[in-house]
Amino acid sequence: MTVYTLLLYISLAAIALTLLLGVIPNKMRGLPNRHAKIWYVQYFVGALLIFSGLVKAVDPLGTAYKMKDYFTEFDTQGLPGMEFMHQFAVEFSVFMLVVELVLGACLILGIGQRKTTGATLMMMLFFTFLTGFNYMTGFQSKVDGVGFFEFSKWTSFSSENIRITDCGCFGDFMKLLPIETFLKDILFTVLSIILLVRTSRLNSLISLHGKLGPIHTRRAVVSILVVASFYFCLKNYYLDIPMVDFRPFAVGVDLNKAKEDCANNPTQSVTYLTYRNSNTGEVVEVNSQDLVKPENKKFWSPNPETGKPDWEVDSDKTRSEVIDPGCTSQIQYFDNYEVLEQPGYQMLVLAVDLDKTDKESFKKIGQLAQTASESGVTTRCMYNYISHQELSSFKQEVGNNYNFTVADEKLIKTIIRSNPGLLLIKDGVVVNKWHGRHIPNMDELGIN
């Protein structure tokens, strides 16, 4: 699915909501439908916020990791307060997801009126700032270390200079190009402005009039939405693993096939060279792949009189663009061939930070591993780096004596959103995954 297909589906949903919640009820009551266009915008933005919030709320840690990327980049660029925000990325992400879900629901229900439309505009401005700032880094040279605010040193735009290649707007459900993300946010910022200006014309399913009853009803509905959204987020990272897994290590994935497919889909890019005519001063940009064409022979063929080409490459203006990012999945970095090639069942323990991991969960895993070994199940652990001495002390404390292998932090975070987490693999295929709070016993492991 592309972002354009998604927007088409949301548009159709908005049309359906406009008819079912606005036009048809008004028609049955004999009321005019003068504001149907505004209702359509209301439901379009509301549906997008709910969908966008849901696909991220099933994996709040993924959103937090993406926000850390933004905060790290902004800190590098000199924006104040980013180091502080980096420490609270998880809390900030959960707050943002709750706000996004609640605002989307409030727009659908027509609750809050100007508070809802005002908050929606503020959130869209924030998103537009994030994605716009990131997209503009395409004018900064990574090689020369040019900062965002050094406008005089900006170079020709290149997508390879963009610091964050995926905004995380729809979590791992869909990856957008930076330009697609930026334009999407501009569009929805404009729509949010329209909603704010035309707030009085929004369709409301809960009457704005009356005495205490309707007011209390609206407050109760909003409170329920906040509590439900907050619990939904917690359930998908703190209490358990995400209920929907869009990542490349989901249950049912054949890791060997996924790695092979990734290797067969490399990144494709094109380089543009800028040529300057030494005689006339004319400047022409040429796709390097097109230099072999007869009409471009002049750029590299020597002049018979001078013995050298009339055109010279301006190396400072050479730029590259990614045509197809190819496979960017973390599966390409999974090089634990013992896990990939060993037949039969095996358990893979993941721990992104042994200093902060739940040691009681590790003890349960150790007991399970000892019992499972009697059935021929091998257990291995992938962890982020700590010293050999610290690892020995940790293994002695939790009583686990299976093989521990160092792995990249981002890879571990991608495989499972838990510290620790457990995978059951059979013949290279992911059979099941467990959060550290729900380590199974031998019966629940389900091997046969």
Side-chain angles (χ1 to χ4, degrees):
M1 180 185 293
T2 66
V3 64
Y4 308 105
T5 307
L6 174 62
L7 292 180
L8 174 61
Y9 288 151
I10 291 177
S11 179
L12 293 175
I15 292 174
L17 289 170
T18 302
L19 292 173
L20 294 175
L21 303 182
V23 174
I24 294 176
N26 277 12
K27 190 75 172 177
M28 295 175 63
R29 293 195 295 264
L31 299 175
N33 290 297
R34 294 172 297 183
H35 308 313
K37 293 181 180 178
I38 294 299
W39 298 345
Y40 170 78
V41 176
Q42 170 187 355
Y43 295 130
F44 186 73
V45 176
L48 176 90
L49 291 179
I50 290 177
F51 179 82
S52 173
L54 282 175
V55 295
K56 294 196 294 287
V58 296
D59 183 16
L61 280 184
T63 300
Y65 297 150
K66 183 59 61 177
M67 292 310 302
K68 284 184 178 181
D69 291 341
Y70 278 112
F71 295 149
T72 299
E73 180 57 32
F74 292 159
D75 184 52
T76 301
Q77 299 290 352
L79 269 66
M82 292 300 105
E83 185 176 350
F84 173 81
M85 292 298 296
H86 194 279
Q87 300 174 25
F88 296 96
V90 175
E91 292 80 0
F92 177 81
S93 297
V94 171
F95 170 78
M96 185 176 68
L97 292 174
V98 170
V99 169
E100 189 171 2
L101 288 169
V102 171
L103 285 178
C106 285
L107 279 176
I108 299 295
L109 298 173
I111 298 176
Q113 297 296 302
R114 193 163 296 278
K115 291 180 181 179
T116 298
T117 55
T120 299
L121 176 58
M122 293 298 293
M123 185 173 65
M124 293 312 305
L125 287 172
F126 172 71
F127 288 157
T128 304
F129 166 75
L130 286 182
T131 58
F133 189 103
N134 180 57
Y135 178 72
M136 298 298 283
T137 59
F139 291 100
Q140 304 169 239
S141 170
K142 288 183 178 179
V143 177
D144 298 332
V146 176
F148 185 88
F149 298 103
E150 298 178 271
F151 304 114
S152 62
K153 297 182 180 180
W154 279 18
T155 62
S156 299
F157 180 86
S158 173
S159 58
E160 292 190 353
N161 287 336
I162 296 178
R163 305 310 198 259
I164 301 173
T165 56
D166 170 47
C167 67
C169 303
F170 297 108
D172 288 301
F173 171 78
M174 177 186 295
K175 307 293 184 182
L176 301 185
L177 296 174
I179 184 60
E180 293 176 329
T181 302
F182 187 32
L183 292 177
K184 173 189 69 70
D185 287 341
I186 290 176
L187 169 63
F188 281 93
T189 297
V190 172
L191 295 179
S192 299
I193 292 173
I194 294 174
L195 290 178
L196 181 62
V197 173
R198 301 296 186 184
T199 297
S200 60
R201 300 182 179 181
L202 298 187
N203 188 37
S204 178
L205 300 184
I206 301 177
S207 175
L208 296 174
H209 307 292
K211 298 182 181 180
L212 295 179
I215 295 176
H216 285 168
T217 300
R218 294 195 301 274
R219 289 177 177 173
V221 170
V222 172
S223 298
I224 292 172
L225 289 173
V226 170
V227 172
S229 299
F230 181 68
Y231 175 77
F232 185 75
C233 290
L234 288 184
K235 181 173 176 57
N236 285 298
Y237 83 97
Y238 183 74
L239 300 176
D240 208 340
I241 58 176
M243 62 176 61
V244 181
D245 193 349
F246 299 115
R247 300 184 307 281
F249 297 87
V251 172
V253 170
D254 185 329
L255 299 178
N256 287 293
K257 184 178 183 303
K259 275 187 68 69
E260 182 180 352
D261 292 344
C262 188
N264 293 331
N265 186 20
T267 301
Q268 299 179 31
S269 61
V270 60
T271 301
Y272 290 92
L273 303 174
T274 299
Y275 283 88
R276 182 184 300 276
N277 191 299
S278 56
N279 298 321
T280 65
E282 181 184 359
V283 176
V284 179
E285 186 177 69
V286 185
N287 183 332
S288 62
Q289 297 176 354
D290 294 337
L291 286 175
V292 296
K293 294 181 178 180
E295 62 267 27
N296 292 325
K297 184 178 179 180
K298 61 181 180 181
F299 293 111
W300 49 270
S301 296
N303 186 315
E305 297 180 1
T306 62
K308 60 181 181 179
D310 293 332
W311 296 82
E312 297 179 350
V313 176
D314 188 344
S315 57
D316 292 336
K317 294 186 178 181
T318 298
R319 64 184 183 89
S320 297
E321 285 190 6
V322 176
I323 302 174
D324 183 352
C327 177
T328 59
S329 169
Q330 283 290 311
I331 190 71
Q332 62 186 309
Y333 305 116
F334 188 84
D335 294 327
N336 195 323
Y337 292 103
E338 292 180 326
V339 172
L340 293 171
E341 298 175 359
Q342 179 174 314
Y345 283 103
Q346 52 187 313
M347 294 193 299
L348 180 62
V349 187
L350 289 307
V352 71
D353 189 340
L354 290 179
D355 289 332
K356 298 180 180 179
T357 193
D358 185 346
K359 295 180 180 179
E360 291 302 316
S361 296
F362 253 104
K363 291 178 181 179
K364 292 180 181 179
I365 293 173
Q367 295 170 358
L368 176 64
Q370 184 174 356
T371 304
S373 65
E374 299 173 2
S375 300
V377 179
T378 303
T379 302
R380 295 181 176 84
C381 177
M382 293 171 59
Y383 70 101
N384 197 226
Y385 178 78
I386 59 173
S387 69
H388 180 73
Q389 182 177 358
E390 291 173 317
L391 177 61
S392 298
S393 299
F394 176 84
K395 293 174 68 174
Q396 183 176 1
E397 181 178 357
V398 299
N400 294 13
N401 56 5
Y402 43 78
N403 183 48
F404 278 61
T405 304
V406 176
D408 179 70
E409 177 183 9
K410 188 173 183 179
L411 174 62
I412 296 175
K413 288 179 177 179
T414 302
I415 295 174
I416 197 166
R417 307 299 201 202
S418 179
N419 184 33
L422 178 65
L423 268 67
L424 178 65
I425 298 172
K426 182 181 181 182
D427 301 328
V429 177
V430 180
V431 177
N432 212 338
K433 304 170 78 169
W434 290 273
H435 190 280
R437 291 178 176 271
H438 304 286
I439 302 301
N441 56 37
M442 196 63 190
D443 292 333
E444 294 168 335
L445 191 64
I447 64 173
N448 48 46

